Amino acid sequence: MTLEQLRTFLWVARLGGVRKAAEQMNISQPAVSSRISSLETYLGTSLFTRGSTGVRLTKQGVLLRAHAEQIAALVERIKADVMPSETVSTLLRLGVAETIAQTWLPAFLTRLHRTFPKLKIEVSVDISVNMREMLLDRSLDLAIMMGPVSDYSADNLDLPTFQLDWYRPLDMAEPDLSTTPVITYNRNSRPHRELTRELHERYGHTAQIFPTNSLSTGFEMVASGLGVGIFPIALGRRLVEENRIATFDPGWLPTPLRFTATYIGEPRDEFVAEAAQIAQTVAIEHEASIPGIHA
């Protein structure tokens, strides 16, 4: 019985199928099946029952999973305690929201590289609803997103919030929010949902919202006179200083954006957990370096 056999067994048990486990482990399905078969032969018992929708643990499989989870946790603890950080050469699949990508992501990547010089990083910039699905599907290791994720398997580290502000074209002195288009976050985001509700309650259903997947594009839309925008102060300040757009005050602001560094905590990967803690530290340092930007 080997650690690789137990690790493979755990992935099949967690994901409910050989194909999904093979994709997660980046090995072939026959390799997964061979490891499971060898483990069952060694233990002298069946660990799974096969069905049309996947596999399920037998009674003996349930018993083995409890032991295997403890072994896997101990292995992660050993790696965290014993392996020098400069020898870690794993791949970190990182997902980030655009707000983070345009603020403190470079500092975070620099800190990661300094801590783990052999680390390989694969970065995806996406909307939070997509990152949540990718995280739970195990195609991301760490997501810095509008959170938290409430699934039992996810761990969330709170990050500093981002205050929002209203932005207008320079030649639009007093925007009428009942008719002027409001440019903001993607349609499937929490800010879009909250803004839609607030605008309709305050100005009726004549209020218009133009969602965008790109914050940079949103700012350009405001600068070109297509409407007003509600965006993070941390991103809008430079354009205001360049006299390309201006702020205005309609008398209210949406809730600040809440972000989390979220990863799968069950099973726990100590390296990913440490990367999430580094992200939290960098985010707090970024907030402290720009007084008045964040809540």
Side-chain angles (χ1 to χ4, degrees), residues 66 81 111 187 217 269 284:
D81 290 345
R111 186 76 57 87
R187 188 182 305 278
T217 300
D269 185 315
I284 292 172

Side-chain angles (χ1 to χ4, degrees), residues 19-68:
R19 180 183 60 81
K20 290 182 178 179
E23 292 174 351
Q24 172 63 37
M25 300 180 71
N26 198 28
I27 60 177
S28 68
Q29 292 187 46
V32 171
S33 297
S34 176
R35 291 179 186 179
I36 297 299
S37 178
S38 296
L39 184 59
E40 289 179 325
T41 299
Y42 176 80
L43 294 173
T45 186
S46 295
L47 300 172
F48 297 99
T49 58
R50 279 75 176 176
S52 58
T53 59
V55 299
R56 298 183 63 181
L57 290 170
T58 62
K59 179 180 178 180
Q60 290 77 16
V62 172
L63 293 173
L64 177 61
R65 178 171 181 169
H67 292 297

Side-chain angles (χ1 to χ4, degrees), residues 63-79:
L63 293 173
L64 177 61
R65 178 171 181 169
H67 292 297
E69 293 283 13
Q70 293 178 10
I71 293 170
L74 179 59
V75 169
E76 288 299 321
R77 191 67 258 165
I78 290 172
K79 287 162 58 179

